[in-house]
Amino acid sequence: MSQSPTPILRPARATDAPGIQAIWNPIIAHTTITFTTEPKSQAGLEAWIAQSPVWVAEAEGDVLGFCAYGPFRGGPGYAHVAETTVFVADGAKGRGLGHALMRHLETAARADGKSVLVAGISGENPAALGFHA
């Protein structure tokens, strides 16, 4: 029995946009667990990657998951607060990848001066509620 290759976590590149789309757009289209209703375009994701702290988990050229953080709310009182995004491809779930992405995100956000991370979780997403608990 062959083992799955160990994913590497690295900063996202513009070329990762199609892999991120493949994970995110079905979630947007077929669930209510994300707070956006518009599919992500390749150009939009490339711009997001260029402007935001985004990382991917990749194995053998495939994006298996991604994480990012960004502004939570405006105003000086929220300067050290960020909102997180963590998604893992269906075929890569259950291998600890989400936890690895979250640990990486926490370390990177801390190094960037963030002291509070907020996850916006839909009540219709019990898996995310359990993950963040």
Side-chain angles (χ1 to χ4, degrees), residues 14 43 48 71 77 96 99 108 114:
W48 179 60
H99 290 284
K114 305 302 179 192

Side-chain angles (χ1 to χ4, degrees), residues 54-81:
V54 182
W55 296 269
V56 296
E58 176 255 322
E60 297 185 331
D62 293 326
V63 174
L64 303 179
F66 66 95
C67 64
Y69 66 87
F72 174 62
R73 291 188 179 152
Y78 294 102
H80 301 286
V81 180

